[in-house]
Structure formats: C-alpha cells, structure tokens
Amino acid sequence: MPRTALLVSGALLAALLPLSAAAHAADDPAPTPVDRFEGEVPFASQPADGIFTWGGDADDPPALHLTDRADAPEGAKVLTGTYDISGYGGFTHDFAAAEPAHDWSAHQGVRFWWEGRNNGRKIAFEIKDGGANGEASELWTTSFTDDFTGWKQIEIPFTDFQYRTDYQPVGGIDDVLGLTRMWGYAVTLPAGTKGDFAMDDVELYGKADQTLRASVTTDAPVYPVRAGGTAKVGVTLTTTGDRPVDEPVTVTYRTEGGTATAGRDYTPAEGTLTFPAGTASGTSRTIEVPTREDKAPASAKTIPLKLTVTGAKAPAEAPQVVLDAHGLPYLNAGLPVRRRVADLLSRMSLEEKAGQMTQAERGAVGGGGDIAAYGLGSLLSGGGSTPTPNTPEAWAKMIDGFQLRTRATRFQIPLIYGVDAVHGHNNLDGATIMPHNIGIGASRDPQLAYRTGSVTAAEVRATGIPWDFAPCLCVSRDERWGRSYESFGEDPALVQSMETMIQGLQGRADGRDLSRDDKVLATAKHFVGDGGTAYGSSTTGTYTTDQGVTTVTRRQLQDIHLAPYKTAVERGIGTVMPSYSSLDIVGDGKGAVKMHARGDMINGELKGRMRFDGFVISDWNAIDQLPGDYAGHVRTAVNAGVDMMMVPYSYKDFSGTLADEVKAGRISERRIDDAVSRILTQKFRLGLFEHPYADTGGASAIGSPAHRAVAREAAAESQVLLKNSDGLLPLKKSEKVYVAGSNADDLGNQTGGWTITWQGASGTHTKGTTVLQGMREAGGNVTYSKDASAPTGGYDVGVVVVGETPYAEGVGDVGNGHSLQLSAADQAAVDKVCAAMKCAVLIVSGRPQLVGDRLGEIDALVASWLPGTEGEGVADVLYGTRPFTGQLPVTWPKSESQLPINVGDASYDPQFPYGWGLTTLTDVPRGGAATLHALAVAAAAAERRGAGRAGRELVAKARLLVQNKVGTGMTEAVAKPFADADHLLLTGRYGKAVEKLTEAYRAA
C-alpha cells in the first residue's frame, strides 16, 4: 500500500518520532500497513473485514469517525472517536473470517500513532492469534498510558503481549503467540469518564530478532520428588511462528539456595544445555537433580534451579525441585483425623496458620506463585471465573497447577478449591444444569433434591473441585429479593425437607464419604436471615433488598431462619457462609449488625448451641462492609467466628493483617488454632493430603444422558399447574400448537442467573434444550413465532412462554431495574394469542409474576420457574408423558402491594396460596365433607403410628379434592387454611393438615 506524503514538515515529524522508530536497522523489513484509516477498511461487523465497536451495554460502544486532519501522521485522515463507558467498550478491526489469516511473524511488533490527552489513563491493546477467525482466536493483551500531549508513535514488541485468561469467547488454541495466523487487533478504552481520542497508521515494524521470538520454558514451576529420587526438569525451546532458531540457544543451570542442603539432601547439579542453530520449536532437553535418601521424618525442602539463557527469553520464574515431606504423623492416613490435625497444627507458624485462613480468587494469583509465597489455604472461582477453554480437562489442569504450587511449602498442605455450583456445575460449559432451588422446592420431592445434589457433586469433583458453596438455605420471605430463586421456598419446613440435597453433595452425615471422587464439601448459606431482608433496607449500591436488614423477634429468628441450619448441622454440613445482610433482633439492644460481625450468632448459636464442627467461610469481600479500619474488619470477623476469609484480591493484606492482630494480642492464638483446626479437619476428610490432584475418572459423565435424565425429571416435577380450565393440559400431539413468547426458545432465560457467568445471559451459552425444542422433540405439531407476529388462524391451542431474563443477587432486586410485571412484549404476546385461541401461559421466572389482570383470558397457567438445561422436562408435562405434580413453594401474590406475603400471615389473600398445584393424569378423589372427615381420621392415625408416607398420601388426596372444588374461586377464606395445611403436612401433622383443608373446602 503506497504512502501518501505527510502534511507536516520532515523536521517536525523527526522530532515526534521516538529514537527507536527513527533509526531502524538497514536489514529490517519495510513496515507493513495494517490500517491507514483513509477509508480502505470499512466500518462493518463480523464476518466481514472491518472495524466494529462493542461494549457492555447499549451506551458503552464508542462513536467512531474517519476525520480529515491536516496534522495526520500518515495520509489525510485519522480515526477519531468519543466514548462514555460505564462498563467496558472499545473497537476491533477483524480481518474477514473468509480470508486467509495474516502472517506477522517476520516483524518485531506493532505500532500506531496516538494523539495524547495526557490524562494518565491506560488504554488496552489486544491482538488476535490463531484459531478459525477473529471471533474464534486467542486474545493477547498489553496496554499503554496516555501520559503525553499530541501525536506519539506507540511501539509494542510482540513479547510485551500476555495471553488473556480471564475472558475468551470460544476458548484457547494452543496458548502460544504464533503470529502466523493473525486476525486483527482491538482497543479497549478507559471506563468511568467521558473522553475522546485520535489514532492513525497501525503497522508492523522491525525485524523479529531471535531473542524476541524464541523462549525457553520449563514444563512445570515445581518438581516434587521423594527423598532418594531424581527430579527431571523438562526445558523446552519455543518460537513465535514455530520457525527453527537461526542462532544457537544455550541454557546454563545450577542448583543454588533453598532450604535443602547440598551434599546432604541432594547432589548439586550444574551444566549447559545447547539448542543448536536450526533447532525446531518445541524441542526439549532434560535436567536431572538427584536427591539423597533420608529416613528421618522431615518437612518439605526446596532446591531452586537457576537458569541463565542466551539467545532466547528466559523462563518467567526459576523452577524449584522439592523434597517431599515424609515420616511426620500428620501424613499418616492410618491415624485418626483429630490426631493428624493436632500434629500438623503444632508444627505450623503463625504466618502459615494465617495463610490457611485465607481464600483468594484464581484470577488474582495468576500463575500461582503467591500460593506458596503466602501459604494460601484456598482458592475459588467467582461466578464466571473459568479457565480457557471452559472444559472439564482445562478445569482439572488449572486446579492441578494450583495444587502443584502447594508442594513448595513446608508442610505441603493442599488447597481446598471452591466454586458456586448452585444448580449443577453451572460455571462449566456443557455441564448438567438443574432447576434453581425454587423449582426443586416446588417438586416437594426430597429424594429428587438428593439426586440433583449427587449429580452436581459428581460433575464438580470430576473437574478437581472438592468444595461447593451450596445449598442456599435461605427462607425467602419477599419475592422482591433478587436471590429469591436460590431459596427452596418461604416455609422453613419446606427448606428443611429439601436439605436431603446436603447428603447428595456430601454423602453420609459423619463425613466418611467426602474422600469419594463423586462427593464434595457442601456449604449452608447465608447464615442467617438473608431471606428476610426488608425491601428498601439495603445500602449496597442500588440494591433495594439484598444485603439489607432482617428485623425479627428472637422467636421468629429461631422458627423461621435458624431452623434450616439446625437441620443442616444434624446432616453434617461441612461449611457455613454468613450473609452479607444485617440482623436486628427486636429487644436485644444491638440494632442492625452485619452478620459477619455477629459473634452471638456464629460463635454462640451456630458453633455453640448447634455444635457445628465444620468451618465458617466469609462471603466475597464481606468483611469490607464492616465498620472501622481494615484491621478492625479482620479482628471483628475472626473474633465473631469466621474461620476462613474470602478476600479475592486482597489476600496479601488480609493474611498480613491477621498475623499482626494476633501478635498485638487483639486476636487470641487459641482462636486461630480453632479456625485452622476446623479447616484442616475438612481437608483431611476430603482426602486431599493423600490425593491433592484431580481424579477425572468421572469426567465422561459430565453432561451425560444419565445426568441429564435427572435434570429432566427435576424440570418436570418443578412445574406448577396453577389453572387448567376444561382440562386444556396436557396437550394432545394431534393438536396444532402455536408457540410464542420470549422464553420459549431461549436457553439462557430458561437457566437464569449463575449460569456460565455470575449474572447469566439470554441466548445460547451452554448445551441444553429449550422448551420449544422439547415440544418438537416430543412429537408436537408446533409452529413458533416469538413475538406472535405470525398469523394465528387455524390452531387448536396456543402456548405462550414468557417471564424474566437472567439476573443474580441484588442486581435482580425489584426496584433495581426489575419488576414483577411481564414485559410489554410478553404482555402483547399473551394478549394476542389468548384472544385468538385457547391458550396456556408458562411463566419462566425466578419468582411469581403478576398476571391477575390477564388471568381471565388465560385458560391454563403454569409456573415453570427456571427449569435448567432440560426443556424436555417441561414438554413431558405439557404433553402428558409425566403428570403435573408441583406445588407452589412461595405464595403467588395478586399485586406487589401485598408483598411481603407468606404462609401463616394473619391477613392472607393471594392470587394462589402456598402449596397450590393442580395435577394431571391423576383421578381426583370424589366426595365432600364426609370424605374429608374420614381422611382426617385416617391421617391422624397415620401420624400417631409414625407412618409418614401414608399420612402424606392421605393429605394429598384431601388437597386434590379441595382444589377441585375451589377451581378459580379463590378467596381469602379458602387460601389461608389451604396454605396452613401445607405447612402442617411438612411438619408431620397430617390430621391437622386435613382439618385445615376441610376448613378451606367449606369456605369454597
């Protein structure tokens, strides 16, 4: 591409050019233009060749223009833009997907002109390498700082780029910047304040000299070896572009320093490895370090290996050979856990104990060097924090890499890695995604809850993760709460009945199954009262309910919010997570106090009266919400009973501050020993000391037909039939069905928040089947029109699937951009279809939606909740393969003004009461008051003899009889005793339950 004359003087340009740009070597290749911004590259979008903008929301993409500028460094035009980014935004030049990729490997780097604003902001610059096209490639990133005024040529050698591990649309290729298949570049602009920019002439410059394109790496940072064995350190030469080296590369090595003693613990090693000119990329050599046998018990010892490299880039860190700890009592798997814990604890320093109480985010520790440096006890993946690619193999490899780092510590205490698998292994692409807890609660099936927990545990453990931050035992008392779908329901008795999930996750209550390759440590959260926070009480950002204040009497606290934790402790729950919210107990004089500071609840209630023997893990950065300075945060939370602190990015500050507080006497050593003992106990129970690395034997079952069959059954059982005029459901396969609505064919809406990412997302982001696909696979005669714009004539029945889009936590609070009303598009779809034909409306949502004003025109109404990835389960009940059996886990209100409304309220007049749920494929019992009286007598007798199954069946018959009479004639006089009956059923009072149903029957 020929250059046009610059419109500035040669002297001025020379002054502007950096020295490196003004004096290139004579044998450098000529610069290769990428973008001149003269109009040769259009503004377009993938898969076309062009420049396109992007951003986190509609306001974030910048506005771009090609602008005539007399001072343009090259040509007549420059690229200019304005931006006002709240989340993230920028622009990309992708080469067309249909074109051959570009080869940049002959050059030293990429450069461009940037007009400085001298604002000190960082601008990220990325290049796209390998893969099929620009959207299926690796991202390599670096940045520069706008700390200058006027035009400046920014030069970035390719060696400055780092592989992005935090985000990748499709996954990695080979994690090597090959430069032979390049798909363009991207610029990420700074967020937070308005700005503008000008840019010109992106080009490749310089010659790719060998020291910039050749690298020496080792195959691991740590090489554990038993005393007497020989460590073998693999050294590999790699080059960008995969071309052989032109000049020799030498690696001189020697063992030096560390805690092992040369001559006694190992034989010193030194020498030189040579990779001659012409050596192919990927060639490896081996360094051997022999160690000496040592029968005396000893902790681990390190032997650093110093590498000096010429002709190539040296490894980022020097590898270490580690002599494994051996012969110490805590390593003896035959000893009781209590003795192993006591022995290990007695050997640890204060700093090592502080490290065990510290949990960091995987993204914060990079390659993991800080794991050993700070003796970290735990890592986690926050929502959406995944390896690249997001596969079971990549998860296991990542976690094994982190575990390897622990081998370089004195006692080689393994990490315990945690993840929010709240409805299946929901961070993992292709995992089996279950209905959210609200749907599991609707199933009223404790055995199903157990099975979903079992599937989740098996898929999580198969990727190397031994710890799950689930289940949520919140008792949701106000559906304006953005976490309400994480609750099994509004009745503590229902929540307690679903805690069989704990055994599905952990196995038997005594912890003997935790070391199995299909079980994980579970977490009861969020202790205590998170489901009772009052609307408008939150002070966290724009949240209205989440992380707010729960105000209760002590009796309400015990009966409603603490009851599920008592059950969890009895079931052997391994960890408990306090809530972000505050608790205000009426009459105790303390006012609203953050739960992470409530020692009376954590130390007193949980560890004291309930005798919880696991450990308490904080929520994400929760201590930062406590009053006072940082030392006060640490001191308050630890003294209140929090044993491990989730401090994702501030782990260095936390562990150091914790040790300082102990040295100052403000936290007792006894308290530290208690916390660390609890943590170590669970690590021993999990078998991590014997098997720290991932056992991937069960990985082939992730997302398997057998696992998806459980999720399909759960989806079917979670469906609650609220109305069914003239037996419209189940559908007949011979009927012509018109399907519409925003959630009929959207897997992301169907799975909700906490799916692949923290907030979830609409669209297809994992493997699964939508409701529409399930109906088609069931053999239904289906026509689909999302917005109901297709003609509606000639159909037997309409199915309109509407509801919410994904959200998580306080982001989903009503009043924070969300409401309980259907969207205008959903309302229009319901109105159009239901006016034209008989219709069934399915509401796919995390909480009830207000449909009372349209209930008259709807023939059948289904609360579908968030059914997960298996839409066939919904189709199963729609077409009668399975019966509708679900019951409301929460009260369905008539209006938002009724909220909060819950079973047991003195005033109770909902649209549908707690426990309501019609059935299909089941004969409704005949009879009236006399039949109900007989059922009550029989139920009371079953209760007396402890015949729970018989008692539940008798109450179920009475419920169906009552529902059949009530029909659509719901009144307060019916609703209140009906809901009370379901609570009585769950507490085992079968006779009283039928008496309440009889009261509802008489009021109907």
Side-chain angles (χ1 to χ4, degrees):
M1 211 176 281
R3 290 178 173 274
T4 57
L6 292 176
L7 300 181
V8 290
S9 73
L12 175 58
L13 181 58
L16 289 170
L17 278 168
L19 181 61
S20 60
H24 287 292
D27 60 347
D28 280 4
T32 300
V34 177
D35 269 341
R36 298 176 62 241
F37 302 120
E38 300 300 312
E40 75 281 8
V41 177
F43 294 115
S45 60
Q46 268 282 351
D49 183 348
I51 299 170
F52 62 95
T53 62
W54 39 266
D57 56 43
D59 296 329
D60 284 351
L64 301 183
H65 306 279
L66 295 177
T67 304
D68 287 314
R69 287 278 292 265
D71 63 344
E74 194 279 337
K77 298 179 185 295
V78 300
L79 179 70
T80 61
T82 57
Y83 57 89
D84 185 6
I85 301 167
S86 57
Y88 63 90
F91 62 91
T92 296
H93 178 187
D94 266 5
F95 307 139
E99 290 184 0
H102 296 207
D103 186 346
W104 292 2
S105 63
H107 291 278
Q108 180 182 357
V110 61
R111 67 188 182 193
F112 49 88
W113 289 88
W114 188 268
E115 188 176 35
R117 302 291 187 261
N118 200 24
N119 52 29
R121 300 179 192 170
K122 283 192 177 297
I123 295 96
F125 191 88
E126 292 180 335
I127 52 179
K128 300 188 171 190
D129 173 69
N133 54 60
E135 296 301 282
S137 62
E138 293 179 346
L139 300 181
W140 292 75
T141 188
T142 187
S143 65
F144 65 94
T145 302
D146 187 340
D147 56 2
F148 54 91
T149 301
W151 288 107
K152 178 180 178 180
Q153 194 171 40
I154 308 296
E155 288 194 348
I156 306 173
F158 291 129
T159 51
D160 282 2
F161 286 91
Q162 300 294 318
Y163 181 48
R164 280 194 68 169
T165 59
D166 59 328
Y167 172 75
Q168 183 67 18
V170 296
I173 311 303
D174 57 11
D175 300 1
V176 174
L177 182 57
L179 296 172
T180 58
R181 292 182 55 79
M182 301 302 295
W183 295 101
Y185 66 88
V187 175
T188 300
L189 295 162
T193 56
K194 294 181 179 180
D196 64 346
F197 72 92
M199 180 182 186
D200 200 15
D201 191 25
V202 182
E203 64 182 13
L204 309 176
Y205 74 93
K207 179 183 178 181
D209 64 271
Q210 183 169 292
T211 58
L212 291 174
R213 70 179 185 87
S215 299
V216 168
T217 59
T218 57
D219 52 356
V222 178
Y223 295 83
V225 62
R226 291 185 178 181
T230 297
K232 297 183 178 182
V233 179
V235 178
T236 302
L237 174 69
T238 58
T239 63
T240 54
D242 296 326
R243 297 204 310 260
V245 291
D246 300 322
E247 302 168 5
V249 173
T250 61
V251 181
T252 301
Y253 63 89
R254 71 172 184 272
T255 51
E256 181 178 272
T259 57
T261 302
R264 187 182 70 189
D265 295 321
Y266 68 97
T267 302
E270 61 180 325
T272 300
L273 304 177
T274 300
F275 297 88
T279 301
S281 179
T283 300
S284 295
R285 302 277 190 270
T286 301
I287 300 171
E288 294 190 352
V289 180
T291 68
R292 305 285 182 88
E293 189 172 356
D294 180 11
K295 294 183 179 180
S299 58
K301 299 175 182 178
T302 58
I303 310 168
L305 188 61
K306 183 177 180 180
L307 304 180
T308 303
V309 179
T310 58
K313 187 176 181 180
E317 61 178 307
Q320 291 187 87
V321 174
V322 177
L323 282 164
D324 284 336
H326 57 276
L328 299 171
Y330 77 89
L331 294 170
N332 184 353
L335 292 178
V337 167
R338 186 185 298 273
R339 283 188 58 188
R340 298 179 74 184
V341 170
D343 177 70
L344 178 52
L345 189 71
S346 70
R347 301 175 186 277
M348 296 171 67
S349 68
L350 173 59
E351 286 70 24
E352 286 167 329
K353 293 173 183 177
Q356 287 301 301
M357 295 174 65
T358 307
Q359 183 183 64
E361 218 283 332
R362 59 167 283 278
V365 299
D370 278 353
I371 293 170
Y374 292 88
L376 298 179
S378 180
L379 293 182
L380 84 151
S381 279
S385 177
T386 67
T388 301
N390 188 1
T391 63
E393 296 78 13
W395 277 92
K397 180 181 178 181
M398 174 187 73
I399 293 168
D400 282 355
F402 291 141
Q403 288 288 18
L404 180 63
R405 296 289 190 165
T406 68
R407 304 296 88 190
T409 61
R410 270 206 309 165
F411 301 115
Q412 299 182 310
I413 303 172
L415 292 165
I416 179 170
Y417 198 101
V419 66
D420 286 282
V422 299
H423 62 137
H425 195 355
N426 44 256
N427 274 314
L428 173 63
D429 185 12
T432 306
I433 305 300
M434 303 291 172
H436 272 291
N437 282 356
I438 194 167
I440 302 298
S443 77
R444 292 299 201 282
D445 187 341
Q447 181 59 26
L448 179 67
Y450 169 85
R451 290 166 61 207
T452 62
S454 295
V455 168
T456 297
E459 296 200 1
V460 168
R461 194 68 182 255
T463 56
I465 301 169
W467 185 13
D468 184 4
F469 304 134
C472 187
L473 301 185
C474 47
V475 182
S476 176
R477 306 292 283 179
D478 189 335
E479 280 63 56
R480 290 171 291 190
W481 186 36
R483 302 193 82 141
S484 59
Y485 63 75
E486 295 186 50
S487 171
F488 291 116
E490 70 186 34
D491 183 352
L494 174 58
V495 175
Q496 288 172 286
S497 73
M498 294 295 110
E499 290 185 54
T500 49
M501 185 178 284
I502 294 171
Q503 263 57 66
L505 292 166
Q506 290 195 165
R508 285 169 287 188
D510 61 6
R512 73 177 76 175
D513 296 328
L514 283 172
S515 62
R516 283 172 37 175
D517 64 359
D518 62 348
K519 294 300 174 188
V520 295
L521 195 69
T523 307
K525 65 182 189 184
H526 302 89
F527 185 84
V528 60
D530 53 337
T533 50
Y535 182 81
S537 66
S538 181
T539 57
T540 301
T542 56
Y543 295 1
T544 60
T545 312
D546 191 36
Q547 304 184 25
V549 180
T550 297
T551 302
V552 287
T553 65
R554 190 163 291 279
R555 177 65 181 271
Q556 289 170 327
L557 176 65
Q558 290 286 343
D559 291 350
I560 297 173
H561 299 292
L562 279 171
Y565 290 92
K566 185 175 185 296
T567 300
V569 171
E570 291 168 354
R571 287 187 171 275
I573 194 76
T575 62
V576 171
M577 181 183 292
S579 176
Y580 282 118
S581 58
S582 299
L583 181 63
D584 186 355
I585 303 175
V586 176
D588 76 350
K590 296 181 179 180
V593 180
K594 284 283 183 181
M595 275 308 308
H596 283 74
R598 290 215 66 141
D600 59 328
M601 289 290 108
I602 301 173
N603 284 328
E605 193 70 41
L606 179 65
K607 292 181 176 180
R609 281 179 283 279
M610 293 186 192
R611 306 188 72 175
F612 169 62
D613 65 357
F615 70 88
V616 177
I617 170 70
S618 86
D619 210 332
W620 179 284
N621 274 337
I623 63 169
D624 289 349
Q625 296 187 5
L626 301 181
D629 60 11
Y630 190 72
H633 299 169
V634 172
R635 181 170 63 251
T636 298
V638 171
N639 284 335
V642 183
D643 301 305
M644 181 184 285
M645 222 62 69
M646 189 186 293
V647 279
Y649 297 95
S650 56
Y651 57 92
K652 298 176 186 178
D653 291 339
F654 170 75
S655 60
T657 302
L658 176 59
D660 290 343
E661 287 296 293
V662 176
K663 292 171 184 176
R666 291 185 285 268
I667 298 175
S668 71
E669 291 190 31
R670 181 178 179 182
R671 170 70 194 103
I672 297 300
D673 286 352
D674 172 63
V676 178
S677 294
R678 290 169 177 269
I679 294 163
L680 293 176
T681 295
Q682 299 302 345
K683 289 186 176 185
F684 280 117
R685 286 177 173 173
L686 285 162
L688 295 176
F689 280 82
E690 289 69 48
H691 304 287
Y693 301 116
D695 182 342
T696 58
S700 61
I702 294 173
S704 66
H707 285 184
R708 290 183 184 276
V710 175
R712 178 174 181 168
E713 184 179 343
E717 290 196 29
S718 71
Q719 304 298 293
V720 180
L721 184 57
L722 299 174
K723 179 181 179 181
N724 193 26
S725 297
D726 300 322
L728 180 65
L729 296 178
L731 303 170
K732 301 177 182 64
K733 292 181 183 177
S734 60
E735 292 176 311
K736 290 185 65 177
V737 181
Y738 185 101
V739 178
S742 61
N743 287 351
D745 195 33
D746 194 305
L747 192 64
N749 291 354
Q750 187 175 302
T751 52
W754 289 109
T755 309
I756 306 301
T757 60
W758 173 42
Q759 289 295 314
S762 299
T764 302
H765 50 42
T766 189
K767 299 175 184 66
T769 306
T770 65
V771 174
L772 174 67
Q773 291 168 336
M775 294 176 70
R776 285 175 171 159
E777 291 178 13
N781 183 359
V782 170
T783 296
Y784 173 58
S785 175
K786 179 177 179 178
D787 60 358
S789 59
T792 55
Y795 293 92
D796 299 306
V797 62
V799 174
V800 191
V801 189
V802 295
E804 296 185 300
T805 54
Y807 53 81
E809 301 191 41
V811 175
D813 285 352
V814 167
N816 189 30
H818 294 266
S819 77
L820 300 182
Q821 301 286 345
L822 296 178
S823 69
D826 278 350
Q827 292 178 21
V830 170
D831 292 344
K832 184 173 181 180
V833 175
C834 293
M837 65 195 83
K838 291 183 178 180
C839 72
V841 173
L842 278 61
I843 298 179
V844 174
S845 64
R847 52 197 168 192
Q849 304 291 283
L850 302 173
V851 294
D853 57 341
R854 286 173 168 77
L855 197 54
E857 64 191 64
I858 296 171
D859 298 289
L861 180 64
V862 178
S864 282
W865 307 117
L866 298 168
T869 50
E870 308 312 299
E872 301 102 321
V874 180
D876 286 341
V877 293
L878 288 178
Y879 278 104
T881 303
R882 292 177 180 270
F884 276 96
T885 56
Q887 296 175 247
L888 283 180
V890 295
T891 300
W892 198 284
K894 289 180 178 177
S895 66
E896 192 172 326
S897 64
Q898 287 186 311
L899 295 174
I901 182 171
N902 295 288
V903 56
D905 287 353
S907 176
Y908 189 77
D909 186 22
Q911 193 82 66
F912 298 103
Y914 169 78
W916 184 263
L918 307 176
T919 191
T920 54
L921 311 180
T922 303
D923 291 332
V924 177
R926 297 177 180 273
T931 303
L932 286 169
H933 177 71
L935 288 171
V937 171
E943 181 182 334
R944 285 193 296 273
R945 65 176 186 271
R949 181 174 180 178
R952 289 190 294 272
E953 289 175 350
L954 292 164
V955 177
K957 288 181 179 180
R959 182 176 63 84
L960 293 177
L961 193 156
V962 172
Q963 285 182 156
N964 189 53
K965 182 184 180 186
V966 172
T968 58
M970 185 63 62
T971 63
E972 182 173 5
V974 170
K976 183 170 174 52
F978 185 94
D980 290 342
D982 200 57
H983 171 72
L984 291 165
L985 165 66
L986 288 165
T987 54
R989 291 173 285 177
Y990 308 123
K992 290 291 184 183
V994 178
E995 288 179 13
K996 281 292 181 181
L997 288 168
T998 303
E999 183 181 335
Y1001 180 87
R1002 288 172 175 156

